Amino acid sequence: MHRPKLFVFAIMLLLGARALHAQSSLPPVTAHYQKAALATILTDLEKQSGLRFYFDINALDTSKYDLSVDKAPVDRALSQLFQRSLMQFSIDADQNVFISRDALVKPALPEDFFDAKPKPVVSGAAPASTERTRKIDPTTLENKLYMIGSDNPKNTRSSFTVTGYVQNQKTGEAIAGAVIFLDNSSITAITDQYGYYTLSLPKGRHTITIKSIAMKQTRRQLQVQDDGKMDISLQEEIMTLSNVLVRADKTNQVRSLQMGIQKLDQATIKQVPVVFGETDVLRVAMTLPGVKTVGEASTGLNVRGGSADQNLILFNDATIYNPSHFFGLFSAFNAETVKDIQLYKSGIPVKYGGRLSSVLEVNTREGNKKNYAGSAGIGPITSRFNIEGPLSKDKSSFLFGARTTYANWLLNLLPQEYKHSKASFYDVNLTTTHELDSKNSLYLLAYVSNDGFNLNNDTSYNYGNRNFSAKWKHIVNNRWNTLLTAGYDHYHYGIGSEANPQRAYKLDFDLNQYYLKFHVNYFMSAMHSMEMGLSTLFYKLHPGSFQPVGDKSAVIPNIMEAEQALENAVYISDRYRISNEFNLEAGLRYSVFSYLGPKTINYYPAGVPVSDANRIGSDKAAGGSFVKTYHGPELRLTARY
């Protein structure tokens, strides 16, 4: 009656004993390796132990491994070998060894297959995990093989697109201008101001090199099988020079399609001698070839003979109409928050318009995404304070900077005619970034500045900027990415006097512009790329108002009629590398400027001076109507052989 149960029990006991014997009697091995290939170590362990090792040699980690064991069971040797790796192993009851990457091979039936628990297996390393959650020794990253995309036999394409962001490993900030290139090839990509790159690579295994100023050069091993994404972190590098070699790269300007461009990063800006303890961004720009100051005690620029008002000055894409502080001795940009500046003296990109001479583009840093940091400084006439840090670690950050002055003591040292002069200024800028997900990033930026002074008289002067903008960067896929920008720019100046109550007055002027820009980058291949977009700007100008101040003032008010205008533009640019020797870039920008009502339109006879006495009539244009429209194309063409 009980014989069947006794028989089943005996069978289970024998199987359990067999599995226990298999685990407890694993052969010992001896191995001493340093920086050896994984396949070499596994082949040796298989030969010593006499066990069968199963693994896919193409899926093995390409990192170099260390192992030092003496007469240790093979499972202990494998555990030590894989303790800092994504590789895993398991041993079944028949002493077969299964080596896998990321996911652990389980050589047993599921737990509920016979409604009984399976026999235990010897397993090494932690449960399967992804690279994101597992701590990997950063020194092995250069030797590790990264799989880009999944292999699809039906995919017949010969090249694929790899995209991603290049960031500072310590702070998480995007690195602009980093160069990614394929070894022994002309395939190259450069990150944009947000650290984003697009690289076209042939199918197969490749080694790419990543370089950036003040960062350690690094390499990555890629197995490209389809389109994919790979973010890259760079470590900061402090260089110790035993000797300095000065040489010229005579081919750099010749190889580039972009002519007349100068780019300076924060490290270079800080190397320029300072005035009153304050690093000045625009003073650095004046040291560049083709740039001269408009005069002493001024921050205006004359670029290749152009006047100061023919320069487009952008601060995070916001227009700055007066970039100076304190009689022109200081620029309006806080050097502690500036990431880089770019000056286009010729060959201005098609996305910019509205100026004839040059474009000066100033970009701020994004802020530390990992840790809080700050700096402060006190100079003879200015003080500054900066703080940055994460709002959400590795996803959001902020950067806040402020400057002010206490220069009146210096003005009191001037001769008697200027002894009672006063001057003050301040500027504040705030940058916040937030990564919504892997394809969407949001940027909010604000800048406020103000100056006020008088020169030993009862007349006071003031001017200032107000700039606010929001940006949304969206990555559609590996070939398309877009940037949508909306913002508001404001500039004003005023003159006033209240010393004499009967003649107290205030004279004001302000300029306001609201803008919306949409920019698209399309990367077709390593040889061919395009960019396109459109922009619209609405101007509202108050040319001037002269008004009394106080009840006793006898000044007669005079307020000029406000003016409005709309400027629209659409552009497209195509860059094609026909060969390694011949590059071509062509662009077209079409601009439309419309003067808007309400506006009083006066008529004068031909050939006589324009004055009220000669006016023969007038009309009133309704608000929002198009009074006059101007339009025309702007052509760009650059070739390099």
Side-chain angles (χ1 to χ4, degrees), residues 260-274:
I261 180 175
Q262 300 284 338
K263 182 175 181 179
L264 301 174
D265 61 4
Q266 188 186 47
T268 305
I269 294 171
K270 289 188 174 181
Q271 291 176 358
V272 176
V274 300

Side-chain angles (χ1 to χ4, degrees), residues 165-400:
Y165 289 92
V166 178
Q167 299 175 327
N168 186 315
Q169 181 176 333
K170 182 179 179 181
T171 66
E173 288 188 74
I175 299 177
V179 180
I180 304 100
F181 61 90
L182 180 64
D183 288 4
N184 302 318
S185 171
S186 60
I187 298 177
T188 306
I190 300 177
T191 58
D192 61 17
Q193 68 181 92
Y194 306 100
Y196 188 76
Y197 74 92
T198 302
L199 188 67
S200 180
L201 295 174
K203 185 176 181 179
R205 181 164 176 173
H206 306 285
T207 300
I208 62 172
T209 301
I210 305 95
K211 291 183 176 181
S212 182
I213 298 175
M215 295 290 170
K216 290 183 179 179
Q217 177 179 320
T218 186
R219 302 157 67 89
R220 293 293 184 270
Q221 309 283 338
L222 306 182
Q223 181 69 34
V224 179
Q225 302 175 133
D226 203 341
D227 293 340
K229 179 181 179 182
M230 185 179 72
D231 295 337
I232 303 170
S233 295
L234 299 184
Q235 297 179 346
E236 294 180 355
E237 181 179 31
I238 300 176
M239 300 182 65
T240 302
L241 300 179
S242 55
N243 61 323
V244 178
L245 175 64
V246 180
R247 64 181 182 182
D249 189 354
K250 64 180 180 180
T251 62
N252 184 52
Q253 296 296 329
V254 177
R255 289 177 177 173
S256 174
L257 263 177
Q258 187 66 61
M259 298 185 299
I261 180 175
Q262 300 284 338
K263 182 175 181 179
L264 301 174
D265 61 4
Q266 188 186 47
T268 305
I269 294 171
K270 289 188 174 181
Q271 291 176 358
V272 176
V274 300
V275 178
F276 297 114
E278 188 74 28
T279 303
D280 195 308
V281 173
L282 290 186
R283 296 291 175 190
V284 176
M286 291 178 190
T287 65
L288 300 176
V291 182
K292 297 186 68 176
T293 178
V294 297
E296 297 297 331
S298 174
T299 54
L301 302 177
N302 287 339
V303 180
R304 291 184 173 175
S307 61
D309 62 340
Q310 293 174 343
N311 303 314
L312 177 61
I313 300 177
L314 299 174
F315 187 55
N316 293 322
D317 288 330
T319 304
I320 304 297
Y321 284 95
N322 190 338
S324 66
H325 283 315
F326 200 67
F327 314 115
L329 291 178
F330 301 102
S331 73
F333 309 117
N334 186 345
E336 294 294 326
T337 64
V338 171
K339 176 172 63 176
D340 57 47
I341 64 173
Q342 294 187 83
L343 177 64
Y344 299 92
K345 297 179 292 185
S346 63
I348 297 175
V350 70
K351 64 181 178 179
Y352 299 121
R355 302 295 191 277
L356 290 175
S357 185
S358 71
V359 175
L360 179 65
E361 192 179 43
V362 183
N363 299 306
T364 59
R365 297 186 292 111
E366 293 183 3
N368 195 319
K369 292 183 179 179
K370 299 182 180 293
N371 302 294
Y372 290 97
S375 64
I378 299 177
I381 58 177
T382 62
S383 291
R384 64 183 183 274
F385 172 75
N386 308 284
I387 187 170
E388 58 185 302
L391 296 173
S392 175
K393 194 165 185 179
D394 295 328
K395 292 190 67 176
S396 302
S397 65
F398 75 94
L399 172 64
F400 174 82

